[in-house]
Amino acid sequence: MFRTRLLSGIVLVLLALVLIISGHEVLLFSTLAISCIGMFELYRVFQVQKSLLAGIGYLSAVVYYCNLRWNFVTDPVMIFMAFLILLMFVYVFSYPKYKADQLMAVFFGMFYVAVMLSYVYRIRELDRGLYLAFLVFLCSWGCDTCAYCVGVLIGKHKMSPKLSPKKSVEGAVGGVAGAALLTALYCFIFREQMHLESVEIAILAGIAAIAGLISMVGDLTASAIKRNYDIKDYGKLIPGHGGILDRFDSMIITAPIIYYLALHM
């Protein structure tokens, strides 16, 4: 199991390198595809993955991503309003086929997965975006790895015993510190390419610490949903890891944080 998980992790890292370096439409449509798979996994929890409601969700994600590239709708809120209105039309005129919680789950899924994950692409489009985009992976996967190692070594105090009994406060501190240190090291190595001063490296390390802390909330949120609906994994797409949401749960919430903090750096 460990070997399978390790090999899958290596493949994911290599794939991330290729997509981030390629950028532009390659990254845009790859992120869209990943988002749609993640939405399918989440919709499956609410048993609407192949419904008309879900179809509107997938279509809305496509429109949203295309708008990121070609900007044919100046105010993205219009896309979300149209999405919600279409969902309400289907809900009302097919009543009582769907339940209210399924309607809300479809809207939530599009925003939670597709919109939040799209910030990986949006970061890549910024100045120095090629290097900043990798911070998302450092802060999410780096934080996860450091938190796991520290937790195994010295973890004693449970962070959320009912939700995730194996996660410890010591592990959380180690994860946050690890994300900051990895980011500082990464920025120091590429300081010339990123045109960074020492102060900016320190700021980015601080941003990484904040993003790492918040990434744990993303991880626990995905875990809470699974516990609410008594499922082990969202899918089996990634051997040893589960589904898209099992592997990208922390990244989903990390990407927007890094984008907005880096945008005003």
mmCIF file of all heavy atoms in Angstrom, residues 3 18 25 31 38 42 46-47 69-70 79 92 109-110 118 125-126 140-141 143 154 158 167 174 202 204 208 227 260:
data_model
loop_
_atom_site.group_PDB
_atom_site.id
_atom_site.type_symbol
_atom_site.label_atom_id
_atom_site.label_comp_id
_atom_site.label_asym_id
_atom_site.label_seq_id
_atom_site.Cartn_x
_atom_site.Cartn_y
_atom_site.Cartn_z
ATOM 1 N N ARG A 3 3.929 1.542 -1.068
ATOM 2 C CA ARG A 3 4.614 1.653 -2.352
ATOM 3 C C ARG A 3 3.682 2.218 -3.420
ATOM 4 O O ARG A 3 4.078 3.081 -4.204
ATOM 5 C CB ARG A 3 5.132 0.279 -2.777
ATOM 6 C CG ARG A 3 5.936 0.306 -4.068
ATOM 7 C CD ARG A 3 6.438 -1.091 -4.421
ATOM 8 N NE ARG A 3 7.186 -1.075 -5.665
ATOM 9 C CZ ARG A 3 7.712 -2.157 -6.232
ATOM 10 N NH1 ARG A 3 7.576 -3.350 -5.640
ATOM 11 N NH2 ARG A 3 8.381 -2.063 -7.376
ATOM 12 N N VAL A 18 4.451 19.336 -15.133
ATOM 13 C CA VAL A 18 4.178 19.504 -16.570
ATOM 14 C C VAL A 18 3.063 20.521 -16.796
ATOM 15 O O VAL A 18 3.182 21.418 -17.640
ATOM 16 C CB VAL A 18 3.801 18.147 -17.208
ATOM 17 C CG1 VAL A 18 3.308 18.352 -18.647
ATOM 18 C CG2 VAL A 18 4.997 17.212 -17.199
ATOM 19 N N GLU A 25 -3.773 27.424 -21.857
ATOM 20 C CA GLU A 25 -4.920 26.551 -22.098
ATOM 21 C C GLU A 25 -4.706 25.131 -21.581
ATOM 22 O O GLU A 25 -5.659 24.465 -21.172
ATOM 23 C CB GLU A 25 -5.268 26.496 -23.590
ATOM 24 C CG GLU A 25 -5.975 27.716 -24.132
ATOM 25 C CD GLU A 25 -5.004 28.828 -24.496
ATOM 26 O OE1 GLU A 25 -3.779 28.625 -24.331
ATOM 27 O OE2 GLU A 25 -5.478 29.898 -24.946
ATOM 28 N N THR A 31 -7.218 21.662 -15.435
ATOM 29 C CA THR A 31 -7.844 21.984 -14.147
ATOM 30 C C THR A 31 -9.355 21.837 -14.236
ATOM 31 O O THR A 31 -10.002 21.383 -13.288
ATOM 32 C CB THR A 31 -7.479 23.418 -13.720
ATOM 33 O OG1 THR A 31 -6.059 23.597 -13.768
ATOM 34 C CG2 THR A 31 -7.945 23.695 -12.295
ATOM 35 N N GLY A 38 -13.852 15.915 -9.758
ATOM 36 C CA GLY A 38 -14.102 16.174 -8.344
ATOM 37 C C GLY A 38 -15.560 16.463 -8.064
ATOM 38 O O GLY A 38 -16.124 16.001 -7.056
ATOM 39 N N LEU A 42 -18.210 14.370 -5.646
ATOM 40 C CA LEU A 42 -19.025 14.990 -4.598
ATOM 41 C C LEU A 42 -20.514 14.781 -4.866
ATOM 42 O O LEU A 42 -21.281 14.471 -3.947
ATOM 43 C CB LEU A 42 -18.719 16.483 -4.515
ATOM 44 C CG LEU A 42 -19.378 17.242 -3.356
ATOM 45 C CD1 LEU A 42 -18.917 16.678 -2.009
ATOM 46 C CD2 LEU A 42 -19.057 18.727 -3.437
ATOM 47 N N PHE A 46 -24.231 12.707 -2.917
ATOM 48 C CA PHE A 46 -25.625 13.150 -2.786
ATOM 49 C C PHE A 46 -26.545 12.467 -3.800
ATOM 50 O O PHE A 46 -27.701 12.841 -3.950
ATOM 51 C CB PHE A 46 -25.699 14.669 -2.964
ATOM 52 C CG PHE A 46 -24.937 15.428 -1.921
ATOM 53 C CD1 PHE A 46 -23.628 15.832 -2.150
ATOM 54 C CD2 PHE A 46 -25.511 15.724 -0.691
ATOM 55 C CE1 PHE A 46 -22.912 16.524 -1.182
ATOM 56 C CE2 PHE A 46 -24.801 16.411 0.277
ATOM 57 C CZ PHE A 46 -23.499 16.811 0.043
ATOM 58 N N GLN A 47 -25.981 11.480 -4.532
ATOM 59 C CA GLN A 47 -26.742 10.659 -5.482
ATOM 60 C C GLN A 47 -27.388 11.478 -6.598
ATOM 61 O O GLN A 47 -28.531 11.238 -6.993
ATOM 62 C CB GLN A 47 -27.799 9.841 -4.734
ATOM 63 C CG GLN A 47 -27.205 8.910 -3.688
ATOM 64 C CD GLN A 47 -28.248 8.117 -2.932
ATOM 65 O OE1 GLN A 47 -29.431 8.432 -2.968
ATOM 66 N NE2 GLN A 47 -27.824 7.064 -2.245
ATOM 67 N N ARG A 69 -10.615 32.512 -19.348
ATOM 68 C CA ARG A 69 -9.632 32.674 -20.440
ATOM 69 C C ARG A 69 -10.039 33.753 -21.422
ATOM 70 O O ARG A 69 -9.212 34.551 -21.858
ATOM 71 C CB ARG A 69 -9.470 31.338 -21.185
ATOM 72 C CG ARG A 69 -8.396 31.364 -22.280
ATOM 73 C CD ARG A 69 -7.021 31.460 -21.673
ATOM 74 N NE ARG A 69 -5.985 31.527 -22.684
ATOM 75 C CZ ARG A 69 -5.510 32.649 -23.218
ATOM 76 N NH1 ARG A 69 -6.015 33.809 -22.847
ATOM 77 N NH2 ARG A 69 -4.547 32.610 -24.114
ATOM 78 N N TRP A 70 -11.338 33.807 -21.779
ATOM 79 C CA TRP A 70 -11.758 34.718 -22.841
ATOM 80 C C TRP A 70 -12.609 35.888 -22.361
ATOM 81 O O TRP A 70 -12.917 36.789 -23.142
ATOM 82 C CB TRP A 70 -12.475 33.926 -23.933
ATOM 83 C CG TRP A 70 -11.513 33.033 -24.653
ATOM 84 C CD1 TRP A 70 -10.569 33.400 -25.564
ATOM 85 C CD2 TRP A 70 -11.389 31.602 -24.512
ATOM 86 N NE1 TRP A 70 -9.855 32.316 -26.005
ATOM 87 C CE2 TRP A 70 -10.334 31.183 -25.380
ATOM 88 C CE3 TRP A 70 -12.044 30.647 -23.751
ATOM 89 C CZ2 TRP A 70 -9.928 29.851 -25.489
ATOM 90 C CZ3 TRP A 70 -11.642 29.311 -23.850
ATOM 91 C CH2 TRP A 70 -10.611 28.937 -24.715
ATOM 92 N N ILE A 79 -22.692 34.523 -13.956
ATOM 93 C CA ILE A 79 -22.638 33.089 -14.246
ATOM 94 C C ILE A 79 -23.257 32.296 -13.099
ATOM 95 O O ILE A 79 -24.049 31.365 -13.314
ATOM 96 C CB ILE A 79 -21.181 32.637 -14.485
ATOM 97 C CG1 ILE A 79 -20.614 33.332 -15.729
ATOM 98 C CG2 ILE A 79 -21.100 31.113 -14.635
ATOM 99 C CD1 ILE A 79 -19.144 33.051 -15.971
ATOM 100 N N VAL A 92 -38.055 23.024 -9.615
ATOM 101 C CA VAL A 92 -39.484 23.327 -9.544
ATOM 102 C C VAL A 92 -40.285 22.494 -10.545
ATOM 103 O O VAL A 92 -41.302 21.885 -10.188
ATOM 104 C CB VAL A 92 -39.726 24.834 -9.797
ATOM 105 C CG1 VAL A 92 -41.215 25.105 -10.010
ATOM 106 C CG2 VAL A 92 -39.208 25.647 -8.619
ATOM 107 N N GLY A 109 -21.169 22.237 -4.830
ATOM 108 C CA GLY A 109 -20.108 21.472 -5.477
ATOM 109 C C GLY A 109 -19.404 22.235 -6.573
ATOM 110 O O GLY A 109 -18.182 22.155 -6.710
ATOM 111 N N MET A 110 -20.170 22.977 -7.365
ATOM 112 C CA MET A 110 -19.555 23.754 -8.439
ATOM 113 C C MET A 110 -18.637 24.828 -7.862
ATOM 114 O O MET A 110 -17.509 25.042 -8.327
ATOM 115 C CB MET A 110 -20.656 24.380 -9.319
ATOM 116 C CG MET A 110 -20.130 25.073 -10.574
ATOM 117 S SD MET A 110 -19.726 26.803 -10.256
ATOM 118 C CE MET A 110 -19.405 27.410 -11.889
ATOM 119 N N SER A 118 -9.906 26.591 -9.514
ATOM 120 C CA SER A 118 -9.511 27.420 -10.661
ATOM 121 C C SER A 118 -8.433 28.430 -10.295
ATOM 122 O O SER A 118 -7.759 28.975 -11.182
ATOM 123 C CB SER A 118 -10.728 28.163 -11.222
ATOM 124 O OG SER A 118 -11.140 29.218 -10.354
ATOM 125 N N GLU A 125 -1.352 32.741 -14.029
ATOM 126 C CA GLU A 125 -1.458 33.863 -14.955
ATOM 127 C C GLU A 125 -0.913 35.172 -14.367
ATOM 128 O O GLU A 125 -0.808 36.169 -15.082
ATOM 129 C CB GLU A 125 -2.922 34.063 -15.367
ATOM 130 C CG GLU A 125 -3.494 32.935 -16.209
ATOM 131 C CD GLU A 125 -2.767 32.790 -17.541
ATOM 132 O OE1 GLU A 125 -2.827 33.728 -18.356
ATOM 133 O OE2 GLU A 125 -2.139 31.738 -17.763
ATOM 134 N N LEU A 126 -0.560 35.184 -13.094
ATOM 135 C CA LEU A 126 0.004 36.387 -12.475
ATOM 136 C C LEU A 126 1.458 36.590 -12.892
ATOM 137 O O LEU A 126 2.101 35.678 -13.426
ATOM 138 C CB LEU A 126 -0.040 36.267 -10.940
ATOM 139 C CG LEU A 126 -1.401 36.229 -10.254
ATOM 140 C CD1 LEU A 126 -1.201 35.963 -8.757
ATOM 141 C CD2 LEU A 126 -2.147 37.541 -10.467
ATOM 142 N N SER A 140 0.060 22.837 0.502
ATOM 143 C CA SER A 140 -0.932 21.792 0.775
ATOM 144 C C SER A 140 -0.263 20.432 0.988
ATOM 145 O O SER A 140 -0.345 19.852 2.080
ATOM 146 C CB SER A 140 -1.957 21.715 -0.355
ATOM 147 O OG SER A 140 -1.318 21.540 -1.602
ATOM 148 N N TRP A 141 0.426 19.933 -0.024
ATOM 149 C CA TRP A 141 1.063 18.628 0.097
ATOM 150 C C TRP A 141 2.238 18.675 1.078
ATOM 151 O O TRP A 141 2.459 17.730 1.835
ATOM 152 C CB TRP A 141 1.533 18.147 -1.270
ATOM 153 C CG TRP A 141 0.383 17.873 -2.207
ATOM 154 C CD1 TRP A 141 -0.947 17.884 -1.885
ATOM 155 C CD2 TRP A 141 0.443 17.565 -3.603
ATOM 156 N NE1 TRP A 141 -1.708 17.604 -2.997
ATOM 157 C CE2 TRP A 141 -0.895 17.399 -4.058
ATOM 158 C CE3 TRP A 141 1.491 17.415 -4.507
ATOM 159 C CZ2 TRP A 141 -1.196 17.091 -5.376
ATOM 160 C CZ3 TRP A 141 1.200 17.103 -5.828
ATOM 161 C CH2 TRP A 141 -0.134 16.939 -6.261
ATOM 162 N N CYS A 143 2.577 20.688 3.665
ATOM 163 C CA CYS A 143 1.992 20.775 5.006
ATOM 164 C C CYS A 143 1.480 19.410 5.452
ATOM 165 O O CYS A 143 1.705 18.992 6.602
ATOM 166 C CB CYS A 143 0.867 21.801 5.018
ATOM 167 S SG CYS A 143 0.093 22.033 6.623
ATOM 168 N N ILE A 154 5.926 12.893 17.503
ATOM 169 C CA ILE A 154 5.704 13.486 18.830
ATOM 170 C C ILE A 154 4.245 13.853 19.108
ATOM 171 O O ILE A 154 3.948 14.498 20.115
ATOM 172 C CB ILE A 154 6.588 14.738 19.024
ATOM 173 C CG1 ILE A 154 6.236 15.812 17.966
ATOM 174 C CG2 ILE A 154 8.061 14.389 18.963
ATOM 175 C CD1 ILE A 154 6.930 17.144 18.206
ATOM 176 N N LYS A 158 -4.778 15.463 20.608
ATOM 177 C CA LYS A 158 -5.656 15.328 19.454
ATOM 178 C C LYS A 158 -6.240 16.690 19.062
ATOM 179 O O LYS A 158 -6.707 17.441 19.906
ATOM 180 C CB LYS A 158 -6.786 14.354 19.750
ATOM 181 C CG LYS A 158 -6.300 12.957 20.148
ATOM 182 C CD LYS A 158 -5.454 12.322 19.066
ATOM 183 C CE LYS A 158 -4.987 10.931 19.472
ATOM 184 N NZ LYS A 158 -4.085 10.339 18.442
ATOM 185 N N LYS A 167 -5.055 12.993 13.772
ATOM 186 C CA LYS A 167 -4.424 14.310 13.628
ATOM 187 C C LYS A 167 -4.182 14.922 15.007
ATOM 188 O O LYS A 167 -5.067 14.907 15.861
ATOM 189 C CB LYS A 167 -5.289 15.237 12.773
ATOM 190 C CG LYS A 167 -5.409 14.791 11.320
ATOM 191 C CD LYS A 167 -6.141 15.819 10.494
ATOM 192 C CE LYS A 167 -6.355 15.330 9.069
ATOM 193 N NZ LYS A 167 -5.088 15.110 8.360
ATOM 194 N N GLY A 174 3.661 21.356 13.239
ATOM 195 C CA GLY A 174 4.738 20.912 12.356
ATOM 196 C C GLY A 174 4.410 21.132 10.895
ATOM 197 O O GLY A 174 5.287 21.497 10.098
ATOM 198 N N ALA A 202 10.363 36.454 3.261
ATOM 199 C CA ALA A 202 9.752 36.304 4.588
ATOM 200 C C ALA A 202 8.233 36.436 4.501
ATOM 201 O O ALA A 202 7.493 35.691 5.166
ATOM 202 C CB ALA A 202 10.315 37.350 5.542
ATOM 203 N N LEU A 204 6.319 35.756 1.865
ATOM 204 C CA LEU A 204 5.792 34.555 1.218
ATOM 205 C C LEU A 204 5.801 33.358 2.170
ATOM 206 O O LEU A 204 4.896 32.514 2.135
ATOM 207 C CB LEU A 204 6.600 34.243 -0.046
ATOM 208 C CG LEU A 204 6.302 35.137 -1.256
ATOM 209 C CD1 LEU A 204 7.295 34.884 -2.369
ATOM 210 C CD2 LEU A 204 4.879 34.912 -1.753
ATOM 211 N N ALA A 208 2.612 31.257 3.280
ATOM 212 C CA ALA A 208 2.587 29.790 3.251
ATOM 213 C C ALA A 208 2.109 29.219 4.584
ATOM 214 O O ALA A 208 1.367 28.226 4.619
ATOM 215 C CB ALA A 208 3.975 29.252 2.918
ATOM 216 N N ARG A 227 -17.607 11.527 6.589
ATOM 217 C CA ARG A 227 -18.143 10.928 7.820
ATOM 218 C C ARG A 227 -19.659 11.108 7.908
ATOM 219 O O ARG A 227 -20.370 10.215 8.369
ATOM 220 C CB ARG A 227 -17.453 11.538 9.040
ATOM 221 C CG ARG A 227 -16.044 11.006 9.270
ATOM 222 C CD ARG A 227 -15.464 11.495 10.579
ATOM 223 N NE ARG A 227 -14.149 10.924 10.818
ATOM 224 C CZ ARG A 227 -13.931 9.738 11.386
ATOM 225 N NH1 ARG A 227 -14.958 9.003 11.764
ATOM 226 N NH2 ARG A 227 -12.708 9.301 11.578
ATOM 227 N N TYR A 260 -4.941 35.550 -3.405
ATOM 228 C CA TYR A 260 -5.286 36.900 -2.931
ATOM 229 C C TYR A 260 -4.191 37.520 -2.073
ATOM 230 O O TYR A 260 -3.955 38.732 -2.138
ATOM 231 C CB TYR A 260 -6.618 36.863 -2.184
ATOM 232 C CG TYR A 260 -7.793 36.738 -3.126
ATOM 233 C CD1 TYR A 260 -8.555 35.572 -3.176
ATOM 234 C CD2 TYR A 260 -8.118 37.769 -4.007
ATOM 235 C CE1 TYR A 260 -9.617 35.449 -4.055
ATOM 236 C CE2 TYR A 260 -9.180 37.650 -4.896
ATOM 237 C CZ TYR A 260 -9.920 36.502 -4.928
ATOM 238 O OH TYR A 260 -10.966 36.374 -5.810
#
